[in-house]
Amino acid sequence: MACSILEGCRREVRRETWKPGPGSEIADPMLAEMGKNLKEAMKMLEDSQRRTEEENGKKLISGDIPGPLQGSGQDMVSILQLVQNLMHGDEDEEPQSPRIQNIGEQGHMALLGHSLGAYISTLDKEKLRKLTTRILSDTTLWLCRIFRYENGCAYFHEEEREGLAKICRLAIHSRYEDFVVDGFNVLYNKKPVIYLSAAARPGLGQYLCNQLGLPFPCLCRVPCNTMFGSQHQMDVAFLEKLIKDDIERGRLPLLLVANAGTAAVGHTDKIGRLKELCEQYGIWLHVEGVNLATLALGYVSSSVLAAAKCDSMTMTPGPWLGLPAVPAVTLYKHDDPALTLVAGLTSNKPTDKLRALPLWLSLQYLGLDGIVERIKHACQLSQRLQESLKKVNYIKILVEDELSSPVVVFRFFQELPGSDPVFKAVPVPNMTPSAVGRERHSCDALNRWLGEQLKQLVPASGLTVMDLETEGTCLRFSPLMTAAVLGTRGEDVDQLVACIESKLPVLCCTLQLREEFKQEVEATAGLLYVDDPNWPGIGVVRYEHANDDKSSLKSDPEGEKIHAGLLKKLNELESDLTFKIGPEYKSMKSCLYVGMASDDVDAAELVETIAATAREIEENSRLLENMTEVVRKGIQEAQVELQKANEERLLEEGVLRQIPVVGSVLNWFSPVQALQKGRTFNLTAGSLESTEPIYVYKAQGAGVTPPPTPSGSRTKQRLPGQKPFKRSLRGSDALSETSSVSHIEDLEKVERLSGGPEQITLEASSTEGHPGAPSPQHADQTEAFQKGVPHPEDDHPQVEGPESLR
């Protein structure tokens, strides 16, 4: 806009302003003043436009730059405060309790190595070359001596799988001499084969193919033992058969990856036998696993000791020794420096050699005794836990044969429900084999719950939950990977065992009640049992209301409202059970989730309470929805009745009595005996009724006695102080006739002590369905109230007091 005004002014000045020639002057002073003012105005407009353009240019430049980079920079305190907020979160967020790494002095040495490496990289080339060569050679020599790997070289890498990818490149260059010249044409004519165990860590084969550019058929998955030995060890006989078949097909067996401690359960392959097989067929043998740390100890098992003779191995000393940000190490043996350089295992760049600096500093700080002590402490922790778990019932250990394994894998498992009298409740009749199998599969959900509980109670244990193909969900204790980081001690292991023993009664009781709960739900009308394999509690149930579309999988607002009210009612009972609502496992419909049972629970009473409470909530919701329409129609009907009553009163009394003065005189001389004709409105029936019987009973002095509240079909008599859903008697066998008689005698004693049968009857009837809830018949009677018209002159029905109901 300013530009257009400026241009218009300029055009007017050019058109109207006259430029005098030499010697000419403006005679009119007014015109001279106008010309002066016009110049000043033009100058002001031009200055304003120039300032506007400069400000807009600054805004465009500053808008493209992020906020922290604007201006002249920030001070060190502000930057560190920002880092702290990013690490620990804002103050408004809920505090979390993740595993905090225990960084000791050896950890500070490792962190110092990263800063020192950045400083060393600024030295001149000659000093940098000498220093990095010394650091690399010292670290390689120390690691080879500590872990019994003679005459080896070392490759330090951040990604743990990167070392194996470089070893595969070295193997390809060693076996294919023309690979540098012909490239993948050589591999096409004779495809390489890489053998991996079925127990290898997930994603390893895919990572190797992506890094090497090989197709997936170049991978061969070797199964584990099925008949003899551990089910997590590689089947050597089957491996040899696979190698012979590949040779017959014209393929080249290239490399075998063995495990000294599988990623799942920590089992070690028969490395000695595998080494002989690899030497026979010219295959490169690579070993990895957590058990390689035990090579630093004085006593090493023969299976792990054979790994010292392999062609290469990958180790992770950072978690073993509690060193943060320390690279992994791949030790290998090869005599051709040119091939190792082509494969990427060695580098001429000094900065690549500085990767070993944090480990070089940390190893010197710990010394041999410190290194051995940390590894030995982790192995002792695993042996301590393994020996303790052998004495605990219902705990199955998966590595009992691996005495030297520093990994303990266990799970909760109960052979037959109700087999142990200590945790035995009322036995479930007619338990079919399929039901037993279903209960065994439900142990996976219970083990997941157990793992989460133990991780919260004993965070220093470092437990992890994992799923195995054959065993199911298990818990793993691997102190070699967590003890040095979390500072795990022997007391933590003892606390872990104590927590497991405290959770066993809950697990056993819940497992036994699952089948009984399912049978009770299936036998109850209006309830649907939901099979959710991920829920560790007693079970999941859904109430099917009248308008429930069973074929739909979408959310149901009416069902959600009923389940929300059901959850509120059940939580008010103050039982030992926990309840929650959420969507169904396979749909979006709301369900009620019943939690773990800490004691013997009466499943029949629990299911009956759920059904009765949900039915009551549904009926009450329908009554509230129809209440407005029923009341409106009732009021209209009552107004019509009142109008008819007024017309009848006019006919009976006559016209003269309606005149104010005359009517009063007539009523004084000849009073009229008016009858009280009122109406009562029954909300339950939705109809109007006459109040004449009420006034007749009131005049006679006889009250209307309400009928007694009927009791349900299954009235539960509860002892004083007994919580809901608890069985009244517990025993090793089913409830017998003798135990029932003794139970009745106990109730009679309580009746006499509490002051009479009326109190006991009231308490027993109040526990129908759930404590404190009236029966449906009693609810129908108490919901009806009466509205009466005591005098015909009233224009509207009035509410009669409680006296009118007697």
Side-chain angles (χ1 to χ4, degrees):
M1 177 145 248
C3 296
S4 60
I5 294 174
L6 183 61
E7 292 296 331
C9 293
R10 287 175 178 174
R11 287 194 298 269
E12 293 294 332
V13 170
R14 295 191 189 99
R15 185 171 64 244
E16 298 179 359
T17 304
W18 174 70
K19 296 181 180 181
S24 61
E25 296 180 358
I26 299 177
D28 192 347
M30 184 175 293
L31 292 177
E33 186 69 19
M34 289 177 59
K36 182 179 179 182
N37 294 337
L38 182 61
K39 290 181 180 180
E40 293 179 356
M42 293 287 296
K43 184 177 180 181
M44 292 174 61
L45 289 174
E46 290 178 354
D47 295 341
S48 176
Q49 181 182 8
R50 185 168 52 254
R51 287 194 302 268
T52 303
E53 292 177 354
E54 292 178 356
E55 291 178 358
N56 292 336
K58 291 181 179 180
K59 289 182 179 179
L60 292 175
I61 295 175
S62 61
D64 297 337
I65 303 300
L69 301 182
Q70 293 182 4
S72 58
Q74 302 183 26
D75 55 354
M76 182 67 67
V77 177
S78 301
I79 297 175
L80 294 179
Q81 184 67 34
L82 176 61
V83 174
Q84 180 179 357
N85 295 336
L86 294 175
M87 290 174 58
H88 302 286
D90 298 334
E91 296 180 356
D92 298 337
E93 298 180 357
E94 296 183 359
Q96 299 179 356
S97 56
R99 296 176 182 175
I100 301 177
Q101 184 167 347
N102 183 19
I103 302 178
E105 294 184 2
Q106 73 278 4
H108 289 285
M109 294 297 296
L111 298 177
L112 177 62
H114 291 276
S115 302
L116 191 58
Y119 175 75
I120 292 176
S121 62
T122 60
L123 299 177
D124 59 88
K125 294 183 178 181
E126 185 63 24
K127 292 183 178 180
L128 181 61
R129 184 186 62 82
K130 292 182 179 180
L131 182 57
T132 54
T133 303
R134 171 68 182 274
I135 293 173
L136 180 62
S137 60
D138 287 350
T139 310
T140 302
L141 177 62
W142 298 340
L143 292 174
C144 290
R145 294 291 176 85
I146 292 172
F147 296 101
R148 309 186 184 193
Y149 197 78
E150 300 294 336
N151 301 324
C153 303
Y155 172 67
F156 301 89
H157 45 92
E158 302 296 334
E159 168 64 16
E160 187 176 348
R161 300 172 296 182
E162 182 183 353
L164 178 57
K166 301 292 186 182
I167 291 297
C168 290
R169 292 183 184 274
L170 178 61
I172 291 175
H173 283 283
S174 300
R175 297 298 300 273
Y176 294 93
E177 298 179 356
D178 299 332
F179 180 75
V180 178
V181 180
D182 298 336
F184 285 94
N185 292 327
V186 180
L187 304 181
Y188 179 78
N189 297 329
K190 199 170 186 178
K191 296 180 181 180
V193 181
I194 300 175
Y195 299 94
L196 296 177
S197 172
R201 47 184 166 171
L204 180 60
Q206 183 179 2
Y207 173 83
L208 293 178
C209 290
N210 293 337
Q211 294 295 320
L212 301 175
L214 297 177
F216 289 118
C218 292
L219 294 177
C220 182
R221 186 182 178 90
V222 183
C224 296
N225 296 325
T226 55
M227 298 295 295
F228 304 100
S230 172
Q231 296 182 356
H232 299 275
Q233 288 181 344
M234 190 183 302
D235 191 342
V236 181
F238 197 86
L239 172 63
E240 186 175 5
K241 181 178 179 300
L242 291 175
I243 293 174
K244 292 180 180 179
D245 293 343
D246 291 332
I247 294 176
E248 292 177 358
R249 296 177 183 177
R251 299 179 179 180
L252 178 64
L254 181 66
L255 185 138
L256 171 64
V257 181
N259 292 304
T262 56
V265 298
H267 285 200
T268 301
D269 293 328
K270 299 178 181 179
I271 300 178
R273 180 71 180 91
L274 294 176
K275 178 59 179 177
E276 297 175 359
L277 195 63
C278 290
E279 291 179 350
Q280 179 181 354
Y281 293 98
I283 302 175
W284 187 288
L285 178 61
H286 180 83
V287 181
E288 60 181 13
V290 67
N291 292 352
L292 292 176
T294 59
L295 289 172
L297 302 180
Y299 171 77
V300 188
S301 62
S302 58
S303 58
V304 178
L305 187 59
K309 305 297 182 183
C310 63
D311 298 310
S312 60
M313 65 170 64
T314 297
M315 301 182 300
T316 55
W320 299 348
L321 306 177
L323 304 176
V326 168
V329 183
T330 297
L331 301 179
Y332 63 94
K333 298 178 182 178
H334 202 270
D335 299 333
D336 193 345
L339 293 181
T340 57
L341 181 62
V342 173
L345 290 171
T346 57
S347 176
N348 294 327
K349 298 180 180 179
T351 54
D352 294 339
K353 299 179 181 180
L354 284 176
R355 294 177 184 173
L357 180 59
L359 192 57
W360 182 74
L361 295 174
S362 301
L363 293 178
Q364 294 183 77
Y365 180 83
L366 290 174
L368 179 61
D369 294 341
I371 296 172
V372 173
E373 179 63 27
R374 281 164 173 75
I375 298 176
K376 185 178 180 180
H377 174 68
C379 295
Q380 291 176 350
L381 291 177
S382 62
Q383 293 176 3
R384 186 171 185 171
L385 178 62
Q386 185 173 349
E387 294 296 329
S388 300
L389 291 180
K390 289 180 180 179
K391 305 175 184 178
V392 180
N393 295 327
Y394 305 113
I395 296 297
K396 180 181 179 182
I397 304 177
L398 304 183
V399 289
E400 284 185 320
D401 297 334
E402 294 285 330
L403 298 178
S404 60
S405 176
V407 180
V408 180
V409 179
F410 61 94
R411 73 189 303 261
F412 164 76
F413 183 76
Q414 192 174 9
E415 289 291 339
L416 292 175
S419 60
D420 192 279
V422 177
F423 304 108
K424 183 178 181 180
V426 177
V428 181
N430 301 326
M431 182 68 73
T432 61
S434 61
V436 176
R438 184 165 54 253
E439 293 299 328
R440 290 182 179 180
H441 287 296
S442 65
C443 287
D444 290 345
L446 297 178
N447 279 282
R448 282 190 291 269
W449 177 85
L450 177 62
E452 295 299 329
Q453 293 291 318
L454 295 178
K455 286 194 293 184
Q456 295 178 4
L457 296 174
V458 193
S461 62
L463 279 180
T464 56
V465 181
M466 61 179 181
D467 293 327
L468 301 179
E469 295 181 1
T470 56
E471 290 82 3
T473 304
C474 300
L475 283 72
R476 177 177 58 193
F477 177 69
S478 181
L480 264 176
M481 302 298 294
T482 59
V485 174
L486 301 177
T488 309
R489 302 174 300 172
E491 293 78 4
D492 298 325
V493 175
D494 297 337
Q495 182 183 1
L496 179 63
V497 176
C499 292
I500 294 174
E501 293 178 345
S502 65
K503 299 298 180 181
L504 282 179
V506 180
L507 295 171
C508 295
C509 186
T510 302
L511 184 60
Q512 293 172 354
L513 288 171
R514 289 174 71 97
E515 184 65 24
E516 183 182 358
F517 179 79
K518 179 181 179 182
Q519 293 178 1
E520 292 291 340
V521 170
E522 292 176 347
T524 304
L527 296 182
L528 176 64
Y529 182 80
V530 180
D531 190 6
D532 190 346
N534 298 323
W535 178 247
I538 296 178
V540 185
V541 62
R542 187 176 82 230
Y543 177 73
E544 294 181 324
H545 55 88
N547 301 326
D548 190 6
D549 188 3
K550 300 180 181 180
S551 60
S552 177
L553 300 179
K554 298 181 180 179
S555 60
D556 183 13
E558 184 177 356
E560 292 179 0
K561 184 178 179 181
I562 294 176
H563 285 91
L566 177 61
L567 176 65
K568 182 179 179 181
K569 291 288 185 181
L570 293 176
N571 288 332
E572 290 176 355
L573 299 181
E574 297 182 355
S575 64
D576 291 337
L577 294 176
T578 57
F579 303 93
K580 61 174 290 188
I581 58 174
E584 188 182 342
Y585 175 64
K586 296 181 180 179
S587 69
M588 298 301 296
K589 292 186 176 181
S590 180
C591 296
L592 178 68
Y593 290 79
V594 185
M596 308 288 290
S598 59
D599 201 352
D600 194 8
V601 175
D602 190 349
E605 181 189 358
L606 173 62
V607 174
E608 184 181 0
T609 303
I610 294 174
T613 307
R615 195 177 300 112
E616 178 186 355
I617 294 173
E618 182 183 9
E619 293 175 356
N620 292 338
S621 63
R622 289 182 182 177
L623 180 62
L624 291 175
E625 291 175 358
N626 300 330
M627 186 72 68
T628 303
E629 185 67 20
V630 172
V631 171
R632 186 181 64 83
K633 292 181 179 180
I635 292 175
Q636 292 177 356
E637 188 177 351
Q639 290 177 350
V640 174
E641 294 289 339
L642 289 175
Q643 185 177 359
K644 291 181 180 179
N646 290 331
E647 293 176 356
E648 293 177 358
R649 181 172 59 86
L650 289 175
L651 294 176
E652 293 178 359
E653 297 179 357
V655 179
L656 294 177
R657 292 184 182 272
Q658 309 304 321
I659 301 174
V661 178
V662 178
S664 300
V665 174
L666 290 176
N667 291 333
W668 184 73
F669 283 105
S670 177
V672 178
Q673 299 295 331
L675 298 177
Q676 293 180 347
K677 296 180 180 180
R679 297 293 185 268
T680 62
F681 182 62
N682 192 334
L683 290 176
T684 304
S687 61
L688 286 174
E689 301 174 358
S690 176
T691 59
E692 184 177 357
I694 297 176
Y695 290 104
V696 172
Y697 292 147
K698 184 176 181 181
Q700 295 176 356
V704 180
T705 304
T709 302
S711 59
S713 59
R714 301 184 62 177
T715 302
K716 175 67 180 294
Q717 293 182 341
R718 184 172 295 111
L719 295 174
Q722 182 180 359
K723 290 189 176 182
F725 314 131
K726 296 293 185 182
R727 297 187 194 271
S728 57
L729 290 177
R730 298 181 58 186
S732 59
D733 299 323
L735 293 178
S736 61
E737 183 179 359
T738 304
S739 61
S740 301
V741 173
S742 63
H743 180 57
I744 295 175
E745 294 177 355
D746 294 338
L747 290 177
E748 292 177 353
K749 293 180 180 179
V750 175
E751 177 182 345
R752 291 193 297 268
L753 293 176
S754 58
E758 292 80 9
Q759 297 181 7
I760 297 296
T761 304
L762 180 59
E763 182 183 359
S765 63
S766 67
T767 57
E768 171 66 16
H770 67 86
S775 62
Q777 294 86 349
H778 184 66
D780 293 339
Q781 296 173 0
T782 56
E783 286 173 356
F785 65 92
Q786 295 180 338
K787 296 182 180 178
V789 184
H791 197 274
E793 294 180 356
D794 294 339
D795 296 334
H796 299 283
Q798 71 179 38
V799 180
E800 193 68 12
E803 296 83 0
S804 63
L805 298 179
R806 296 193 181 97

